[in-house]
Amino acid sequence: MPREFFEQDTVTVARKLLGAYLVHDSPEGKTAGRIVETEAYLRNDPACHASKGRTPRNAPMFGKPGTAYVYLIYGMYHCFNVVSAPEGIGEAVLIRALEPLEGLDLMAERRGCAVGRNLCGGPGRLAQAMDLTPVCNGESLRRGDLRLYGFESFTGREALSLGPVVTTTRIGITRGADLPLRFYLADSPFVSRR
DNA sequence: AAACGGATGGGCT
DNA sequence: GCCCATCCGTTTG
């Protein structure tokens, strides 16, 4: 996806990432999935890691749009975000669920579970299945072995309708909990929670 | 089918 | 020292 895509306002990027493809070519093998659920984190949003200014942890959020921001959550899982909006703003989109498409056996092996619905349904799960670790933190998603593609470049076919998009409140937060900043494809069975 | 608590470690007050 | 943008196994209705 072009740099201008990620440079749009964060809510637009969060909505337009629905139906996009995330591909990781790792030494163990290739895994890929289609994004079906996202959340926007905005500056002036108390749930956003960057809302109180720049720190060593959130520094990638202030970098170029289209870079990865990966952080440790609850001491045991990682969450994967796409930096959005113009450089220096400090906003990002959390990827919350994928429809697994390629490398399902490798995903299941990394997850320690069977191939099924909980491979990539939830931010910690998809980070584990796709091997999205702090190694990716600060890396460009337009170069290298971890990339994002639109429908047309991934499939080589003309875009189809994704069906209705549901807008709801975000999951697992206390501050800013009433803001309508979570988006998912209503027709996808791979969404983490309805 | 939903509700609960434990695991686990870095960041920030 | 407390707070998490979570997941999983176990218990309860």
Side-chain angles (χ1 to χ4, degrees), chain A residues 79-100:
Chain A
C79 288
F80 171 76
N81 300 255
V82 178
V83 175
S84 52
E87 182 167 5
I89 299 289
E91 299 190 344
V93 175
L94 172 67
I95 308 303
R96 278 200 58 91
L98 300 177
E99 173 181 348

Side-chain angles (χ1 to χ4, degrees), chain A residues 66 77 90 113 124 127 165:
Chain A
Y77 297 101
C113 71
V165 171

Side-chain angles (χ1 to χ4, degrees), chain A residues 93-170:
Chain A
V93 175
L94 172 67
I95 308 303
R96 278 200 58 91
L98 300 177
E99 173 181 348
L101 294 177
E102 289 186 49
L104 302 212
D105 291 337
L106 178 53
M107 289 183 182
E109 184 186 331
R110 285 170 175 158
R111 292 266 304 112
C113 71
V115 172
R117 197 59 44 83
N118 41 345
L119 271 190
C120 293
R125 290 170 177 168
L126 77 87
Q128 191 174 31
M130 295 283 292
D131 194 30
L132 309 177
T133 68
V135 171
C136 318
N137 195 28
E139 294 295 308
S140 171
L141 298 168
R142 307 189 42 241
R143 290 270 168 220
D145 55 8
L146 179 62
R147 301 202 196 193
L148 275 167
Y149 297 93
F151 180 90
E152 287 152 24
S153 59
F154 186 83
T155 65
R157 291 183 296 171
E158 221 170 284
L160 308 170
S161 168
L162 298 170
V165 171
V166 177
T167 303
T168 61
T169 53
R170 295 171 295 182

Side-chain angles (χ1 to χ4, degrees), chain A residues 52 159 165 171:
Chain A
K52 289 180 212 152
V165 171
I171 293 179

Side-chain angles (χ1 to χ4, degrees), chain A residues 1-152:
Chain A
M1 304 183 83
R3 173 175 173 146
E4 303 80 58
F5 172 85
F6 303 103
E7 206 155 21
Q8 300 175 94
D9 75 273
T10 296
V11 168
T12 299
V13 174
R15 297 183 67 101
K16 290 190 174 178
L17 277 174
L18 295 174
Y21 294 82
L22 182 63
V23 180
H24 190 190
D25 270 302
S26 83
E28 303 171 280
K30 180 176 179 176
T31 50
R34 176 177 171 257
I35 297 171
V36 299
E37 180 181 349
T38 62
E39 286 178 357
Y41 286 87
L42 311 179
R43 77 168 159 185
N44 305 331
D45 158 13
C48 177
H49 287 180
S51 65
K52 289 180 212 152
R54 185 177 180 135
T55 67
R57 177 175 66 150
N58 65 26
M61 293 185 72
F62 293 87
K64 289 185 170 56
T67 66
Y69 171 49
V70 178
Y71 65 90
L72 179 69
I73 184 97
Y74 298 114
M76 24 182 12
Y77 297 101
H78 296 286
C79 288
F80 171 76
N81 300 255
V82 178
V83 175
S84 52
E87 182 167 5
I89 299 289
E91 299 190 344
V93 175
L94 172 67
I95 308 303
R96 278 200 58 91
L98 300 177
E99 173 181 348
L101 294 177
E102 289 186 49
L104 302 212
D105 291 337
L106 178 53
M107 289 183 182
E109 184 186 331
R110 285 170 175 158
R111 292 266 304 112
C113 71
V115 172
R117 197 59 44 83
N118 41 345
L119 271 190
C120 293
R125 290 170 177 168
L126 77 87
Q128 191 174 31
M130 295 283 292
D131 194 30
L132 309 177
T133 68
V135 171
C136 318
N137 195 28
E139 294 295 308
S140 171
L141 298 168
R142 307 189 42 241
R143 290 270 168 220
D145 55 8
L146 179 62
R147 301 202 196 193
L148 275 167
Y149 297 93
F151 180 90
E152 287 152 24

